[in-house]
Amino acid sequence: MQAWHQHETELNSSARKETILVIDDSKANLDYLNITLSDAGYNVLIAMDGTNGIEQAYNEPIDLILLDIIIPKIDGFETCRILKSNPMTKDIPIIFMTALSETGQKVKGLNLGAVDYITKPFQEEEILARIQVHLKLRRLNLELDQQKQQLENRVKSRTAELSEALEELKKAQLQLVQSEKISSLGQLVAGVAHEVNNPLGFIFSNLHYADQYVYDLVHLMKLYQKEFPNPGSEIEEEMETIDLNHILEDLPKVISSMKLGTDRIQGIMQSLRNFSRADGDQKIAVDIHDGLETTLMILQHRLKARPKRPMIEVIKEYENLPPVKCYPGQLNQVFMNLLTNAIDALEEGMGNGAWGIESTPNSHCPKIHIKTELVEDTKVLIRIADNGPGMPEPVQNQIFNPFFTTKAEGKGTGLGLSISHQIIAQKHNGMLQCISSFGQGTEFIIEIPLDAEDE
């Protein structure tokens, strides 16, 4: 009885009584097993045929099944096969009970998934010892499965934490790339502006005197022509050779054009400095239209007509907006990314023959539409739309993912839109949305608070 006492000790430490289902058509066997197993501390269920046994196994929490081979309706082998084929009952250990001693029958039962055999007539110690072993194995398997599930859950949780940390690291790297890019650009522009401004200032300051000198000389020449209408044949021939009248008329215009050119250069340099200026720790209130205009000026060379495609028309609808509290340098970077993408999309359409210069109606010429508006006196919307080829939904769902790009290798890093989304969402507490349909163009919508608090 040593096995019985050991089993009783283990059972007393268990949280619940284990249930054994006995399937046998012999009432004498059922009575014997019911008494023996109940006295041993088990909960016992009884079925006298395979169909009823299967039904109970489906509806009750069973820990082990004692199954006779020869039973009514369906035999023990078929009952075992059905139980092992169902996910609900496949892990319940099955011990066959038989008076048969043929090796072939035992092998068949084991191949069907049974774990052991008990031979009739029963021996109490043998029954309890075999049941105890297989119940213990079942408990260990259940504990192993539970630990495995806990380990899998911990692995999933840790993997999710690592993925989140990796995503945060990528975002931090993107911000560093963006900050370094703006900083490098600002340093470059500052250096170029310094080198250009010195000779430009010299030219600009001297143009004022040149303009006055030219005016005086032209006035003097006209006085000479008035006082000496017949200067002599040699002077008259020289006047005709150099076309003096044209010079007197055109020279002031040349000086005026030079002044406009220097003004334009100064404006460009100032725009570059404004575009690439480093942002401080706090937001400042600015006119966002200045940022849009500066960006368009920098991209002007890409908007102009080329031999194989028409000019890209820019349509502007600017609402009268109050100053917006933002990081202007970073916001300009967003404008640059969105407008560059729009131009790239339009040029892709041009490359596919979407806009032919000679045959295409003007309504289908490449266009970029920029619209600003004030919403509820608290938010500003900036819409940048193009009438390019648009994007299919699978592409649209990924455009803000880091390093995702549809451009050819070497023509895009996949960082522009990701950085733009980060600047708008995290730095300005706003939203950046994309609305696009394949063949219907693309629109990006920037929404930022009018007066957002600093981080």
Side-chain angles (χ1 to χ4, degrees):
M1 299 295 290
Q2 184 178 359
W4 151 244
H5 292 301
Q6 183 180 353
H7 173 76
E8 185 177 33
T9 301
E10 291 187 4
L11 187 63
N12 290 336
S13 64
S14 178
R16 69 174 182 85
K17 292 175 69 172
E18 291 166 308
T19 300
I20 298 175
L21 171 63
V22 182
I23 306 175
D24 196 327
D25 62 336
S26 169
K27 188 175 185 306
N29 289 340
L30 291 175
D31 289 342
Y32 173 78
L33 291 171
N34 188 15
I35 294 171
T36 300
L37 298 176
S38 296
D39 289 345
Y42 295 110
N43 183 36
V44 182
L45 300 177
I46 291 173
M48 299 190 71
D49 60 69
T51 302
N52 182 256
I54 292 171
E55 183 179 352
Q56 289 197 62
Y58 286 169
N59 295 320
E60 301 288 341
I62 306 298
D63 296 293
L64 184 141
I65 297 175
L66 295 177
L67 176 61
D68 192 17
I69 291 179
I70 303 173
I71 51 177
K73 296 187 180 180
I74 55 176
D75 65 18
F77 292 134
E78 180 63 14
T79 300
C80 180
R81 187 194 66 77
I82 293 172
L83 290 171
K84 290 299 177 181
S85 65
N86 190 311
M88 294 171 54
T89 55
K90 68 181 181 66
D91 294 326
I92 300 175
I94 296 176
I95 299 177
F96 274 116
M97 302 180 296
T98 180
L100 302 173
S101 59
E102 292 86 349
T103 302
Q105 294 288 335
K106 292 183 178 181
V107 170
K108 181 178 180 180
L110 293 173
N111 285 336
L112 287 170
V115 296
D116 207 347
Y117 269 87
I118 295 176
T119 304
K120 300 176 183 178
F122 302 123
Q123 297 293 323
E124 180 179 344
E125 289 189 1
E126 180 189 7
I127 293 172
L128 294 177
R130 290 181 183 273
I131 288 175
Q132 175 188 333
V133 167
H134 292 294
L135 284 176
K136 184 174 182 179
L137 287 174
R138 174 171 170 77
R139 287 195 299 271
L140 291 174
N141 283 330
L142 290 174
E143 289 175 8
L144 182 61
D145 288 341
Q146 185 178 15
Q147 291 175 2
K148 180 182 175 183
Q149 186 61 46
Q150 290 174 349
L151 180 60
E152 288 178 353
N153 291 338
R154 286 210 304 266
V155 169
K156 286 181 182 178
S157 176
R158 186 59 177 161
T159 301
E161 291 175 4
L162 290 174
S163 297
E164 185 178 352
L166 180 60
E167 190 65 27
E168 291 299 320
L169 178 60
K170 283 184 178 180
K171 290 179 180 179
Q173 289 174 331
L174 289 176
Q175 187 60 39
L176 287 174
V177 169
Q178 189 265 347
S179 299
E180 183 64 26
K181 184 176 180 181
I182 293 295
S183 176
S184 299
L185 180 59
Q187 293 174 11
L188 176 63
V189 169
V192 171
H194 178 74
E195 294 300 322
V196 171
N197 277 337
N198 284 336
L200 184 63
F202 176 78
I203 295 171
F204 184 79
S205 60
N206 281 284
L207 275 175
H208 171 75
Y209 298 106
D211 184 40
Q212 186 63 44
Y213 297 159
V214 166
Y215 175 81
D216 292 341
L217 289 173
V218 168
H219 180 67
L220 179 61
M221 288 300 300
K222 288 181 177 180
L223 286 177
Y224 266 103
Q225 287 179 318
K226 180 179 179 181
E227 294 295 330
F228 303 99
N230 299 308
S233 59
E234 185 176 355
I235 294 177
E236 287 181 354
E237 288 177 5
E238 185 64 21
M239 289 170 58
E240 290 179 5
T241 299
I242 66 173
D243 194 356
L244 179 62
N245 290 332
H246 173 73
I247 292 175
L248 294 177
E249 180 180 352
D250 195 52
L251 188 56
K253 295 179 182 178
V254 170
I255 297 297
S256 178
S257 296
M258 293 171 67
K259 290 177 63 179
L260 289 174
T262 55
D263 289 341
R264 176 67 172 163
I265 294 172
Q266 286 182 323
I268 291 172
M269 298 311 299
Q270 184 60 47
S271 295
L272 285 173
R273 285 195 296 270
N274 291 342
F275 177 82
S276 58
R277 63 185 170 187
D279 290 320
D281 295 333
Q282 294 184 336
K283 298 182 179 76
I284 60 173
V286 297
D287 184 352
I288 61 169
H289 296 144
D290 289 343
L292 287 166
E293 288 299 309
T294 296
T295 309
L296 287 172
M297 186 275 298
I298 294 172
L299 294 173
Q300 190 63 38
H301 68 288
R302 294 198 60 190
L303 300 171
K304 293 179 179 179
R306 296 181 181 178
K308 293 185 179 181
R309 59 97 164 157
M311 178 188 71
I312 298 175
E313 181 183 359
V314 178
I315 302 170
K316 292 179 271 190
E317 290 185 56
Y318 292 165
E319 189 172 303
N320 186 20
L321 300 178
V324 178
K325 195 175 182 182
C326 64
Y327 296 110
Q330 295 184 34
L331 203 57
N332 288 344
Q333 183 69 21
V334 174
F335 296 155
M336 176 65 78
N337 288 334
L338 298 184
L339 287 168
T340 299
N341 275 1
I343 295 171
D344 289 342
L346 292 171
E347 289 186 341
E348 178 186 342
M350 295 171 195
N352 294 333
W355 292 288
I357 297 178
E358 298 179 357
S359 59
T360 304
N362 185 59
S363 60
H364 293 92
C365 287
K367 293 182 176 68
I368 295 176
H369 192 164
I370 306 174
K371 183 178 181 180
T372 62
E373 55 184 302
L374 183 64
V375 180
E376 300 173 353
D377 294 329
T378 59
K379 295 178 290 187
V380 171
L381 293 186
I382 304 113
R383 301 175 180 266
I384 299 176
D386 65 71
N387 63 341
M391 290 180 281
E393 187 174 350
V395 172
Q396 188 177 344
N397 291 337
Q398 300 182 73
I399 58 172
F400 295 124
N401 294 342
F403 308 109
F404 175 80
T405 180
T406 59
K407 297 176 182 177
E409 186 175 354
K411 292 189 176 181
T413 63
L415 293 175
L417 289 178
S418 177
I419 290 174
S420 297
H421 188 273
Q422 185 177 353
I423 290 172
I424 297 301
Q426 296 184 15
K427 295 296 183 179
H428 292 85
N429 301 317
M431 291 191 300
L432 177 59
Q433 298 174 283
C434 175
I435 301 173
S436 183
S437 298
F438 191 64
Q440 300 296 320
T442 300
E443 180 180 35
F444 284 94
I445 303 174
I446 302 169
E447 178 183 307
I448 55 175
L450 190 63
D451 189 13
E453 293 295 326
D454 292 309
E455 294 182 341

